[in-house]
Amino acid sequence: MGDGEDDFTFATEKQRAVLELLANNRTSKEIAGALAVSEPAINRRIEVLRLRLGGITRHELVRRYRNWRDRIAPDAGSSVPCVENDDEFIQLGARAAFGKAGDGSDADETTARFRDSIAVRVDAPWAEEMPPPRVVPGMLDGSNAMLSRGAAIAIILLAILASLAVGLGVARALADIVNG
């Protein structure tokens, strides 16, 4: 393995590229996007390195690599450029070629990508002024609301009593038939 546990001369170029991005606090998904490979491939490379160094944790792997890199070339820049993602957007593949808007004129990336877009305004449903919901029908609201509601309550009570009386009558009739 070399002269000690912090010797990364055994690492391949691909493994060093992964280590460099890992040392820049990138996730496996970000590293996969930057190197244009799958996330499982990145995780396999990291796992091979971890096992080669005795099954250390990912954090310990990064710490050892940073120490080794700083010891070997303290002033040298990284061999793999740092992946900067504006607004936490992750580039997952190779960037498409931009430059022509289709009509022969030069266009910047934004124009080329969104030249056919339209503005859409969507207001939240709760932002609209809505009338209060009606809890009772209109005939129970108004100038004679108390009288209307009292009459409705009386009618409902009479209906309940009538259905109770009919139910008792049916039950008595059935009892007479069974006993009789």
Side-chain angles (χ1 to χ4, degrees), residues 1 5 7-20 22 31 41-58 60-62 64-65:
M1 184 167 33
E5 67 177 12
D7 188 3
F8 285 87
T9 55
F10 68 87
T12 65
E13 184 179 327
K14 291 179 180 181
Q15 288 172 334
R16 284 197 190 151
V18 170
L19 282 169
E20 194 60 44
L22 205 59
I31 295 170
I42 297 300
N43 289 331
R44 276 192 305 273
R45 290 178 191 170
I46 293 170
E47 187 64 22
V48 166
L49 289 166
R50 287 180 55 233
L51 293 174
R52 178 93 185 243
L53 293 172
I56 60 175
T57 64
R58 187 176 175 132
E60 179 67 14
L61 174 69
V62 170
R64 287 185 186 182
Y65 176 75

Side-chain angles (χ1 to χ4, degrees), residues 99-108 111-112 115:
K100 299 291 181 188
D103 58 357
S105 64
D106 287 337
D108 64 355
T111 306
R115 69 174 178 248

Side-chain angles (χ1 to χ4, degrees), residues 12-178:
T12 65
E13 184 179 327
K14 291 179 180 181
Q15 288 172 334
R16 284 197 190 151
V18 170
L19 282 169
E20 194 60 44
L21 291 169
L22 205 59
N24 287 324
N25 297 320
R26 300 298 175 218
T27 64
S28 294
K29 190 171 190 176
E30 290 172 327
I31 295 170
L35 300 178
V37 296
S38 68
E39 189 175 352
I42 297 300
N43 289 331
R44 276 192 305 273
R45 290 178 191 170
I46 293 170
E47 187 64 22
V48 166
L49 289 166
R50 287 180 55 233
L51 293 174
R52 178 93 185 243
L53 293 172
I56 60 175
T57 64
R58 187 176 175 132
H59 179 73
E60 179 67 14
L61 174 69
V62 170
R63 187 190 66 75
R64 287 185 186 182
Y65 176 75
R66 283 179 184 156
N67 289 341
W68 176 79
R69 181 187 64 190
D70 293 343
R71 194 174 61 244
I72 297 301
D75 294 333
S78 63
S79 61
V80 177
C82 179
V83 178
E84 292 298 331
N85 294 316
D86 297 334
D87 300 325
E88 297 298 320
F89 289 112
I90 300 170
Q91 184 68 32
L92 295 179
R95 202 171 261 255
F98 288 99
K100 299 291 181 188
D103 58 357
S105 64
D106 287 337
D108 64 355
E109 183 176 321
T110 307
T111 306
R113 186 177 289 171
F114 299 113
R115 69 174 178 248
D116 63 341
S117 64
I118 59 171
V120 177
R121 181 174 174 215
V122 178
D123 292 329
W126 55 86
E128 297 176 11
E129 187 78 24
M130 296 181 67
R134 295 192 56 95
V135 178
V136 293
M139 71 173 237
L140 299 179
D141 262 351
S143 60
N144 295 324
M146 289 292 283
L147 182 62
S148 298
R149 291 179 184 176
I153 291 171
I155 292 171
I156 292 171
L157 282 175
L158 285 174
I160 291 172
L161 289 174
S163 63
L164 186 59
V166 169
L168 287 174
V170 168
R172 187 168 197 186
L174 288 174
D176 290 342
I177 292 173
V178 170

